[in-house]
Amino acid sequence: MSESAARHLSRMFHRISVAIAAEKDRLSDLDGAIGDADHGITMVLGFTAVNGELAKLDLDHMLPSEVFTSAATAFLNAVGASTGPLYATAFRRAAQVLNEDQHLSAADQAAIVEAMTTGIRERGKGQRGDKTMLDAWIPATEAAVTARARAAGSLEMWTSILEAAETGANSTRSMVATRGRAARLGERSLGHIDPGAASAVIILRAMKETFAVDTVKEQDR
């Protein structure tokens, strides 16, 4: 019996949580250079709460959209800082775009990335070049939309998404922050990678491993 789409998403959130926990200290160190040095801790709290909530649910009888809705509530309840509302809105937008869809096709996966970026953008009122997580999410979305337009397979699409996000995150090193706590530093924020962009790359890498790499392995069995 094939895994349900909701259970597949739960596995994705578990993978994100494990990856974020492994990078917690690095993320907090990045944040320490331009912020409050708590980004790693905050992200771990949020995704740990998501996994705790999903573990209580009957995933075999849930829609993928309901998984994202549950994740949004759990993340927001655990993280009251600015990151909480940003990712909660991202997950809610993903739920809306999936609606009653019970599939997770490559086109659906692209739509999830696009919807999450839209949610973050709407909630944070930010744009590319502000030295925030959007500097990873926006190029990731552009790659997803381009891949969807040419009907690329999941692995090809996610490879381009991750490459775009990594390039975007690295580009924040040469930016002056204009939003968030880092904006208080002005020119002193130069030379540092934005922690939110760095954690976005971790999230997208875990999504790639779940949607693309795992699928290829299953097909090879």
Side-chain angles (χ1 to χ4, degrees):
M1 182 177 177
S2 61
E3 181 181 59
S4 71
R7 194 167 290 282
H8 197 64
L9 286 178
S10 177
R11 185 150 50 91
M12 177 196 78
F13 277 113
H14 175 73
R15 184 168 262 145
I16 292 171
S17 181
V18 170
I20 289 289
E23 297 280 359
K24 179 186 72 172
D25 291 343
R26 181 176 74 89
L27 292 173
S28 290
D29 286 345
L30 288 173
D31 195 29
I34 59 175
D36 292 341
D38 64 352
H39 186 66
I41 296 168
T42 296
M43 295 297 282
V44 167
L45 285 173
F47 282 106
T48 298
V50 169
N51 280 287
E53 179 61 26
L54 295 182
K56 304 173 186 176
L57 305 177
D58 183 1
L59 295 167
D60 292 322
H61 296 88
M62 289 181 67
L63 293 169
S65 59
E66 293 172 321
V67 174
F68 272 111
T69 299
S70 296
T73 300
F75 200 101
L76 186 60
N77 287 342
V79 180
S82 59
T83 305
L86 290 172
Y87 273 109
T89 305
F91 298 151
R92 289 195 184 104
R93 292 292 178 272
Q96 290 169 358
V97 79
L98 288 173
N99 198 8
E100 298 297 310
D101 193 347
Q102 297 196 47
H103 306 287
L104 291 173
S105 65
D108 289 335
Q109 295 162 30
I112 288 170
V113 175
E114 186 176 17
M116 287 180 66
T117 301
T118 298
I120 293 167
R121 205 170 190 170
E122 287 176 350
R123 185 74 190 200
K125 309 299 182 186
Q127 60 187 349
R128 197 174 193 164
D130 285 341
K131 197 182 178 89
T132 69
M133 64 177 71
L134 284 172
D135 289 300
W137 279 107
I138 289 174
T141 292
E142 291 171 350
V145 170
T146 299
R148 181 176 59 196
R150 65 172 186 271
S154 188
L155 182 57
E156 179 187 349
M157 180 182 74
W158 279 101
T159 297
S160 65
I161 288 172
L162 187 57
E163 288 175 352
E166 288 173 337
T167 299
N170 289 333
S171 74
T172 63
R173 192 188 296 275
S174 61
M175 295 176 185
V176 174
T178 60
R179 286 190 174 273
R181 294 185 180 93
R184 297 174 299 186
L185 298 177
E187 295 287 336
R188 286 180 294 159
S189 64
L190 272 171
H192 302 284
I193 292 176
D194 178 72
S199 63
V201 171
I202 296 170
I203 291 168
L204 287 162
R205 184 179 295 115
M207 291 173 76
K208 175 190 176 184
E209 290 172 358
T210 305
F211 286 128
V213 178
D214 283 358
T215 301
V216 170
K217 288 179 180 176
E218 289 169 3
Q219 291 172 346
D220 289 342
R221 287 174 186 167

